[in-house]
Amino acid sequence: MNQRTNKRRLENPVLTIGDSLLCSLLVSPRDEESSERKAPMIAPLFLVKLVREGSTRYRTASLSEADQVVEAVAPLLRDEPREVLLCVLLDTKNRITGIVTLTTGTLHSSLVNPSLIFRPAILANCERVILVHNHPSGDPAPSLQDTQITRQAKEAGAALQIRLLDHIVIGFDDDGRPSYFSHSEKGLI
């Protein structure tokens, strides 16, 4: 066992488990009609992990209001010329455990699906998430697509037992001051 890599080897020397989630596809030995013995198949291994990219400062230890979330993430979105969708990962006391950029879109939209939204939450063992994205136009009014994504994410989160607390859309005025629309404050979650 190599102490430097901190990995534990399994009986099969092809498989290793480290500090990250390891996914393996199970493949049965193939049947060969002309062969007397069965040759084992080799299953591909995939390493999936979250990598810390940086950090940001915010004042409130526990997020309970949309304006607190906006204060925490606005610096990350203020100068973005395209739509950027963030997932704020929270623990059971609504403390931020991470902020993940899910997608960067165009001037008007960002493509996203529920599996993309909840993948980081599953990897980080989070029970709650908040979605936040910007509108480069400055108008925080949600689009029809924003409302549909919110509904889909709420349903998918319920199935995964990961609660979507809010989906916040942020717009910035010419001086860089944020305004926002909170789906939760409007009773849409």
Side-chain angles (χ1 to χ4, degrees), residues 56-96:
T56 186
R57 295 185 183 272
Y58 59 97
R59 291 186 210 161
T60 309
S62 179
L63 303 178
S64 59
E65 302 293 331
D67 61 337
Q68 296 170 330
V69 177
V70 171
E71 181 184 342
V73 301
L76 302 173
L77 298 172
R78 182 169 281 117
D79 298 320
E80 288 292 338
R82 297 177 290 172
E83 279 198 14
V84 176
L85 177 63
L86 303 176
C87 184
V88 180
L89 307 173
L90 303 168
D91 65 12
T92 57
K93 294 183 179 179
N94 291 349
R95 294 178 298 209
I96 297 176

Side-chain angles (χ1 to χ4, degrees), residues 138-157:
D139 180 6
S143 66
L144 179 60
Q145 182 185 20
D146 294 339
T147 304
Q148 290 171 340
I149 289 169
T150 303
R151 183 182 40 78
Q152 291 172 351
K154 181 181 176 187
E155 291 170 4

Side-chain angles (χ1 to χ4, degrees), residues 19-40:
D19 296 331
S20 304
L21 176 66
L22 182 68
C23 301
S24 171
L25 300 177
L26 299 176
V27 180
S28 303
R30 67 175 168 232
D31 292 323
E32 294 183 15
E33 295 175 17
S34 62
S35 176
E36 291 182 19
R37 65 183 185 126
K38 294 180 181 179

Side-chain angles (χ1 to χ4, degrees), residues 78-163:
R78 182 169 281 117
D79 298 320
E80 288 292 338
R82 297 177 290 172
E83 279 198 14
V84 176
L85 177 63
L86 303 176
C87 184
V88 180
L89 307 173
L90 303 168
D91 65 12
T92 57
K93 294 183 179 179
N94 291 349
R95 294 178 298 209
I96 297 176
T97 61
I99 300 172
V100 179
T101 300
L102 296 176
T103 183
T104 300
T106 67
L107 288 173
H108 308 290
S109 67
S110 183
L111 297 176
V112 67
N113 62 46
S115 66
L116 178 69
I117 292 170
F118 291 102
R119 184 176 297 131
I122 291 168
L123 290 171
N125 294 319
C126 291
E127 293 184 15
R128 300 168 185 199
V129 298
I130 297 173
L131 296 178
V132 183
H133 79 276
N134 64 318
H135 278 178
S137 68
D139 180 6
S143 66
L144 179 60
Q145 182 185 20
D146 294 339
T147 304
Q148 290 171 340
I149 289 169
T150 303
R151 183 182 40 78
Q152 291 172 351
K154 181 181 176 187
E155 291 170 4
L160 295 168
Q161 297 181 349
I162 299 172
R163 189 167 162 215

